[in-house]
Amino acid sequence: DHGLSEADPEVSSIIKKEKERQFKSLELIASENFTSRAVMEAVGSCLTNKYSEGLPGKRYYGGNEYIDELEILCQKRALAAFHLDKKKWGINVQPLSGSPANFEVYTAILNPHDRIMGLDLPHGGHLSHGFMTPKRRVSGTSIYFESMPYRLDESTGLVDYDMLEKTATLFRPKLIIAGASAYPRDFDYPRMRKIADAVGAFLMMDMAHISGLVAASVVANPFEYCDIVTTTTHKSLRGPRGGMIFFKKDPVLGVDLESAINNAVFPGLQGGPHNHTIGGLAVCLKHAQSPEFKAYQNQVVSNCRALANRLVELGYTLVSGGTDNHLVLVDLRPLGIDGARVEKILDMASITLNKNSVPGDKSALVPGGIRIGSPAMTTRGFKEKEFIAIADFIHEGVQITIDAKGLVSGSSKLQEFLKFAASSDFLLTDKVS
Ligand code: PLP
């Protein structure tokens, strides 16, 4: 049996290049992180070889005594990491990732074409919360369920709870979804609970982005108000790629969530669980209960605040004016540029972040903002000082983008530049450096 570099030099060399890219760049994508060596060791282990359809003690394959032990340990650690009473909350650690976890919840508690309300994607929501355009039902969620998104108040950048309440009263959804991919503030869970109760809907929180912050109690706790909480495991939680579903043990709206959700995961939508991921997740959830993890999450939030404050000092407009969590959303439209160009220019300088739509964007193809997250570089040891420097680097990139746009968009300017560039004078001197 050969090691990777010997067995497959091609793949081995791609991994080497990717590793170098990850470690040499400033990684600011809000949904990414660097997991630990211990987690990667578990993910790269023999656990990947085993089939174990079903739940611990109720498997469809033999040879699962250690896999049962592992999954039970992972479940226990998940409940402990989120400070949950095992009499009140149950967990399924088998979802393959965040989108499948969400779809599993929908199929568990809804009938096809039941109504749902999640935050609209251009306002920070996730595809799996029911995104559709006027022309097309884009995500599976909007194909199989009737989706009426709620939105932000564009003047404040905050969720428009009044409008959510009005719309929910008319639309009568069976499920309201809290949570987002690009929302820098906490959700108002008590208000959402009230709205859900008034219309007889389930309330679910998709805490994928902020689950590490929730575990460390540095943001509001969704478990106090929601019936179901889903998450990915690879973002601020810093585990392997995967998903989890937490559910109330007592029936909600007459539904036994435990059996409905467990059955939706398997046999409903998945086959054998990824035991190597469950192994890595158990390791991550042990770490998530440590004082170091709490300190890390506090630093994630302070770093993000330092970044936000510096950007405001530099004159930038932030959606909602700032941040309560691990990300900021910068509205670049006042500068006359878009997020796509800035993403590209910063990529050339090994600063990795992503273009993002901001409330009021006319086109989803040319989003007017960028999303910047602090979890990954905080894992690399960056503190407030370094995040202030990051804001300054981003500012330089934005200035270059503005200059470059002026150069190519004014055609007379471009002609002038081309004439200038064609002159020998230009080629022989260092007038443009
Ligand atoms: N939910 C939220 C809020 C997300 O931001 C994401 C991914 O970015 C997901 C779900 C989907 O997770 P995955 O990419 O693991 O399917």
Side-chain angles (χ1 to χ4, degrees):
D1 200 5
H2 298 290
L4 182 62
S5 59
E6 222 178 299
D8 192 334
E10 227 175 330
V11 168
S12 172
S13 119
I14 293 170
I15 293 175
K16 217 162 137 197
K17 285 187 284 186
E18 171 59 11
K19 188 171 176 186
E20 213 172 285
R21 188 199 65 78
Q22 288 187 13
F23 282 82
K24 280 192 176 160
S25 62
L26 291 176
E27 183 53 73
L28 301 169
I29 293 183
S31 50
E32 292 185 8
N33 212 329
F34 297 100
T35 194
S36 66
R37 195 179 304 173
V39 166
M40 290 207 281
E41 204 175 302
V43 172
S45 73
C46 66
L47 294 170
T48 198
N49 297 335
K50 189 73 196 102
Y51 246 112
S52 56
E53 283 173 353
L55 285 166
K58 294 178 274 185
R59 305 286 189 186
Y60 288 80
Y61 291 85
N64 271 305
E65 65 263 46
Y66 304 119
I67 297 297
D68 279 3
E69 193 181 333
L70 178 73
E71 188 166 342
I72 290 167
L73 180 67
C74 187
Q75 291 171 342
K76 274 193 189 149
R77 286 183 178 176
L79 294 175
F82 289 92
H83 323 286
L84 299 172
D85 178 350
K86 68 175 191 309
K87 285 194 224 74
K88 292 191 178 146
W89 286 89
I91 168 118
N92 191 304
V93 296
Q94 295 187 5
L96 301 176
S97 219
S99 304
N102 287 344
F103 205 75
E104 281 152 7
V105 170
Y106 309 150
T107 57
I109 61 172
L110 305 173
N111 289 312
H113 301 294
D114 272 351
R115 296 173 192 165
I116 63 167
M117 291 185 75
L119 183 61
D120 209 1
L121 182 122
H123 280 208
H126 188 256
L127 270 171
S128 63
H129 299 179
F131 181 55
M132 54 197 281
T133 68
K135 287 193 189 138
R136 202 161 73 85
R137 291 177 180 235
V138 179
S139 95
T141 308
S142 59
I143 295 172
Y144 294 102
F145 303 96
E146 301 305 317
S147 166
M148 171 74 79
Y150 58 90
R151 315 195 86 207
L152 305 182
D153 173 339
E154 291 188 10
S155 64
T156 60
L158 302 174
V159 170
D160 188 343
Y161 294 101
D162 291 338
M163 187 50 82
L164 166 59
E165 185 168 7
K166 269 190 207 147
T167 315
T169 309
L170 293 170
F171 187 63
R172 315 290 302 178
K174 210 162 154 192
L175 170 68
I176 297 177
I177 304 159
S181 298
Y183 188 56
R185 300 293 183 179
D186 259 340
F187 277 78
D188 184 347
Y189 303 113
R191 179 92 198 262
M192 295 189 83
R193 179 76 262 172
K194 251 194 208 155
I195 298 170
D197 285 344
V199 300
F202 293 96
L203 180 60
M204 166 184 139
M205 166 62 178
D206 175 352
M207 63 169 182
H209 260 261
I210 56 162
S211 53
L213 284 73
V214 171
S217 308
V218 298
V219 290
N221 183 0
F223 291 94
E224 285 173 30
Y225 296 95
C226 299
D227 306 309
I228 298 163
V229 177
T230 63
T231 186
T232 53
T233 50
H234 45 272
K235 300 188 171 87
S236 56
L237 193 60
R238 211 163 60 177
R241 305 198 82 78
M244 293 193 277
I245 305 172
F246 297 86
F247 44 81
K248 275 191 179 148
K249 282 221 163 155
D250 283 341
V252 179
L253 298 171
V255 177
D256 173 4
L257 296 178
E258 179 158 24
S259 70
I261 288 172
N262 284 338
N263 283 325
V265 175
F266 174 85
L269 284 156
Q270 294 186 184
H274 289 189
N275 293 308
H276 53 304
T277 297
I278 293 173
L281 179 55
V283 174
C284 145
L285 291 166
K286 179 183 179 193
H287 190 224
Q289 295 171 61
S290 67
E292 293 79 25
F293 187 80
K294 192 167 167 72
Y296 161 69
Q297 298 294 350
N298 271 312
Q299 193 67 55
V300 164
V301 173
S302 318
N303 285 347
C304 201
R305 237 166 242 164
L307 172 82
N309 291 341
R310 180 66 179 157
L311 288 169
V312 169
E313 263 174 36
L314 291 167
Y316 286 89
T317 306
L318 306 186
V319 175
S320 87
T323 178
D324 292 331
N325 57 27
H326 65 301
L327 68 86
V328 294
L329 201 53
V330 186
D331 186 349
L332 296 165
R333 293 168 309 174
L335 301 170
I337 51 168
D338 59 81
R341 284 168 223 262
V342 171
E343 178 193 289
K344 194 90 196 148
I345 295 277
L346 290 175
D347 220 4
M348 288 185 211
S350 296
I351 298 175
T352 316
L353 46 67
N354 64 287
K355 58 183 172 288
N356 213 99
S357 48
V358 284
D361 264 348
K362 295 284 174 290
S363 155
L365 293 176
V366 193
I370 47 173
R371 187 183 68 162
I372 316 168
S374 60
M377 293 319 292
T378 305
T379 295
R380 298 283 303 275
F382 277 25
K383 298 261 185 336
E384 291 84 349
K385 189 168 127 255
E386 287 81 19
F387 270 87
I388 290 169
I390 285 178
D392 291 341
F393 286 136
I394 291 173
H395 183 52
E396 274 188 48
V398 168
Q399 296 307 312
I400 292 168
T401 314
I402 293 170
D403 292 349
K405 195 177 173 221
L407 202 62
V408 293
S409 64
S411 63
S412 62
K413 242 185 178 177
L414 179 61
Q415 290 310 320
E416 248 174 66
F417 177 76
L418 290 174
K419 255 192 247 160
F420 174 56
S423 72
S424 55
D425 212 1
F426 167 75
L427 293 172
L428 295 173
T429 66
D430 58 355
K431 265 185 203 164
V432 181
S433 60

